[in-house]
Amino acid sequence: MRKRPYSTLADGALWAPSRGAATTGLILIPPLIGDTATSQLHRFRRLRRRGMAIYTFAYPGHPGTTGRFSLRAAMLATGRHMETAAHLAGRHKIPLFGLGCCAAAIPLLAAAHAAPVKPTRLALLNPLVCFAPDSLLKAFWSYSRVYSHHPLGRLRTLPAYLDHLFPGIAKNRARFGALERRRIALPQLLVEILQDQILAGVWLAQTPVVCCYGQTDPLLQQLLPKGVMNYEAAIRHHCPRATFKPLPAAHFFASPRLRERLGRIICQAFTLASPEARW
C-alpha cells in the first residue's frame, strides 16, 4: 500500500513534510470554501519539492469538522490552526509563512493580525478582502432579473447567485463542493457579506505580502468594479507592505506557463531557491 504523503494531527489538520533534504519553511494554507484539506496539498504539492512543509485543515461545516460555516467561524478556525502551525514551525526552527487564495485571504489575514507569533511573510492569490455591497446587490439584481420579475421571487435565486460567485466548484442541492448546505449559517453569512466589516481593524504593518491577481478575473471585476487601483488600495488598507504581481489570467491560473511564473513569484516571496523543482 502506498504511504500517504501527509500526517493527520489530533485536531484533523494535515501536515505534509517537505520532500527536500532540508525543510526551509512551513506554509499555512487555509482551504477554499467548499474545498478539502487534501485538495490544498495536491494543488500546492510542488512547493514541497522546494523545501517547504505544508499545514492545512478544513473549515467548520466541511467533512471531518463540527459546527456550521460562516466567515467568522472560518476566521476562528484559522486562528486556532495558525497557533498550532506556529508551534510546529518553532519546534522545527523554521519560519512560518501563509498562503491564501480568493476568499481564504480573509481568515488568513484576520488570523495573522491576531496571532501572538505572526507569519514571516504572506502570499495572496486573487485575494478577496472586501465585498463592495452596493456592487454586489446591483449584480444580484441584474442576475435575478433573468429568473423572476417579482421582487420576492428574486430572493429565491439568492442561493443560485451565491453559487455563481464561486465558479469551478461542483454543486448540487445538498452540497457546495465539500460543504454541506445544511451546515451553512446562511443568515450570518449574508450579514457578514453585506455589512462588509469582516476585516475591520485588521492591519499587518510589518508583514511583507505579495499579491498575485488575474487581470481578467470576472469575480474580482464583478465585486470590485472600480478598477485595479481600487483593488490594490483595498489590499494595502490591511497590508501596507504589499507588492502586486498582476498576471494575464482569469480566476484560475490554468496555463502551465502562468503556473510556472506564479510558482517563481511565491518562491521569491518566501526566499526559496531550488531551480530544479518545477511548479
Side-chain angles (χ1 to χ4, degrees):
M1 175 180 269
R2 186 177 180 182
K3 185 179 179 181
R4 289 181 174 179
Y6 60 85
S7 300
T8 303
L9 305 182
D11 56 2
L14 302 184
W15 158 276
S18 72
R19 294 179 180 176
T23 301
T24 55
L26 170 61
I27 307 178
L28 171 69
I29 307 180
L32 298 170
I33 300 172
D35 214 346
T36 63
T38 52
S39 294
Q40 305 309 305
L41 296 182
H42 177 74
R43 186 171 291 117
F44 296 104
R45 63 192 182 279
R46 293 175 179 85
L47 285 176
R48 295 174 58 217
R49 300 174 189 169
R50 301 174 183 261
M52 300 302 296
I54 293 177
Y55 179 107
T56 188
F57 57 96
Y59 295 134
H62 293 69
T65 68
T66 59
R68 294 163 64 84
F69 176 79
S70 67
L71 290 178
R72 185 67 61 184
M75 291 163 65
L76 292 174
T78 304
R80 292 192 298 269
H81 285 288
M82 183 168 286
E83 289 188 14
T84 303
H87 175 74
L88 287 170
R91 190 171 70 189
H92 291 277
K93 297 181 180 180
I94 54 177
L96 174 65
F97 303 117
L99 175 60
C101 305
C102 193
I106 292 174
L108 178 64
L109 294 178
H113 168 79
V117 180
K118 301 185 184 305
T120 303
R121 300 182 181 188
L122 300 178
L124 306 177
L125 310 183
N126 277 334
L128 186 62
V129 298
C130 60
F131 294 99
D134 55 340
S135 301
L136 193 62
L137 288 172
K138 289 179 182 178
F140 166 66
W141 202 250
S142 176
Y143 177 88
S144 63
R145 183 174 54 195
V146 177
Y147 300 95
S148 175
H149 296 287
H150 191 279
L152 292 180
R154 292 188 177 196
L155 293 177
R156 297 175 184 173
T157 67
L158 183 58
Y161 177 68
L162 292 176
D163 288 353
H164 167 72
L165 290 178
F166 297 94
I169 298 177
K171 314 172 188 74
N172 56 39
R173 295 184 65 180
R175 292 184 177 273
F176 177 86
L179 174 59
E180 298 180 61
R181 292 185 186 273
R182 64 182 180 84
R183 296 181 63 191
I184 300 175
L186 187 58
Q188 180 180 345
L189 183 60
L190 289 175
V191 169
E192 292 169 339
I193 291 174
L194 293 177
Q195 285 186 343
D196 198 26
Q197 296 293 317
I198 197 69
L199 286 180
V202 171
W203 173 254
L204 299 174
Q206 303 300 323
T207 307
V209 176
V210 62
C211 172
C212 304
Y213 63 91
Q215 294 169 303
T216 58
D217 184 350
L219 178 59
L220 297 183
Q221 290 176 350
Q222 185 170 348
L223 296 182
L224 300 164
K226 295 182 180 179
V228 169
M229 295 302 294
N230 185 67
Y231 176 62
E232 294 187 357
I235 304 295
R236 283 203 177 97
H237 180 73
H238 303 289
C239 308
R241 295 191 61 188
T243 57
F244 297 91
K245 304 290 185 180
L247 299 173
H251 190 68
F252 299 101
F253 299 97
S255 163
R257 182 176 298 179
L258 277 174
R259 291 190 176 186
E260 181 73 24
R261 182 178 174 188
L262 186 64
R264 290 196 299 268
I265 292 171
I266 294 174
C267 288
Q268 289 170 1
F270 293 163
T271 63
L272 304 178
S274 182
E276 70 279 3
R278 295 180 60 81
W279 178 253

